[in-house]
Amino acid sequence: KVGLVCVIMSLSSYLCTSVYVHSFDTVRNDFWIQDPTSILTSPQKHTLNVLIDRNSALKRNVYPCGNINMPYQIGVAIVDKMELSSNISNTSINIMNYATDVFNNIQLGHVECNNGVLLFVSFDDREIGIITGSGINPKVLSHDDIDSIIYHIGSFFKKQDKFTGLREGIIKLSNHLIY
């Protein structure tokens, strides 16, 4: 399945093309986990979705956005392997570019606030990326925080415990986003 993603990593870009094998849907309030290759079981996805809903609904997790306060949105996208479609050749895949394209494609975060956070994992590639919208203050979630979360998650993945790694990643991200 080929997903539609923007080549130029900008929300204002209209130049989009099908370059990736995996298809990611726009996130909804009750479905924060994108798992096109069915790595997790349905009960595991449900548990993570409930965790995200519960943590993002906390009143202290709101961010000023114009005249209103909006809660952040955490999404999780996981694949077995990052792959390009067969019509793209001689291109290496960079985790941050891939994850940013997925972030933009699934429309994570409130449009006016750009306050989404994506935890992206490619298990076979052994790559983890965390992408934040520009509405997430770097003082709340710094590069050091992101590195620490990735290291923590990776410790579970090394033990082949994907579910616990994802759950811990969501919890750590949620804790950093509370201020």
Side-chain angles (χ1 to χ4, degrees):
K1 218 171 177 187
V2 177
L4 182 69
V5 293
C6 294
V7 173
I8 299 173
M9 292 178 294
S10 168
L11 291 177
S12 62
S13 171
Y14 294 102
L15 177 60
C16 296
T17 185
S18 298
V19 295
Y20 298 123
V21 171
H22 305 296
S23 177
F24 296 94
D25 298 321
T26 301
V27 293
R28 302 186 324 266
N29 287 342
D30 61 342
F31 194 73
W32 303 106
I33 310 301
Q34 298 289 309
D35 182 11
T37 55
S38 299
I39 293 168
L40 298 175
T41 65
S42 292
Q44 288 173 325
K45 289 178 201 176
H46 175 74
T47 299
L48 295 178
N49 277 315
V50 168
L51 179 63
I52 291 171
D53 279 340
R54 187 183 70 217
N55 286 338
S56 65
L58 297 172
K59 292 193 184 322
R60 41 182 208 237
N61 292 347
V62 295
Y63 291 83
C65 179
N67 296 327
I68 57 173
N69 288 328
M70 296 296 290
Y72 66 84
Q73 290 181 340
I74 292 178
V76 177
I78 57 176
V79 295
D80 48 359
K81 183 168 183 55
M82 293 181 290
E83 297 180 80
L84 298 173
S85 66
S86 59
N87 61 344
I88 306 293
S89 61
N90 299 325
T91 304
S92 62
I93 303 174
N94 173 294
I95 179 74
M96 297 312 285
N97 291 344
Y98 197 101
T100 300
D101 284 345
V102 171
F103 177 88
N104 291 336
N105 190 47
I106 65 176
Q107 302 171 10
L108 188 60
H110 301 282
V111 174
E112 310 84 29
C113 307
N114 197 8
N115 62 348
V117 178
L118 176 68
L119 170 59
F120 180 84
V121 181
S122 176
F123 288 105
D124 290 352
D125 296 310
R126 302 173 61 116
E127 297 276 358
I128 303 169
I130 297 175
I131 303 296
T132 63
S134 61
I136 300 293
N137 187 330
K139 292 179 182 174
V140 174
L141 189 63
S142 70
H143 289 292
D144 289 340
D145 295 331
I146 290 171
D147 289 343
S148 172
I149 293 167
I150 289 172
Y151 179 80
H152 182 68
I153 294 169
S155 68
F156 293 97
F157 293 162
K158 286 178 185 175
K159 299 176 204 169
Q160 300 300 313
D161 192 350
K162 296 172 182 176
F163 173 75
T164 303
L166 293 169
R167 186 187 70 218
E168 287 295 310
I170 292 166
I171 291 168
K172 291 268 188 199
L173 281 169
S174 296
N175 289 340
H176 279 285
L177 293 168
I178 295 172
Y179 69 83

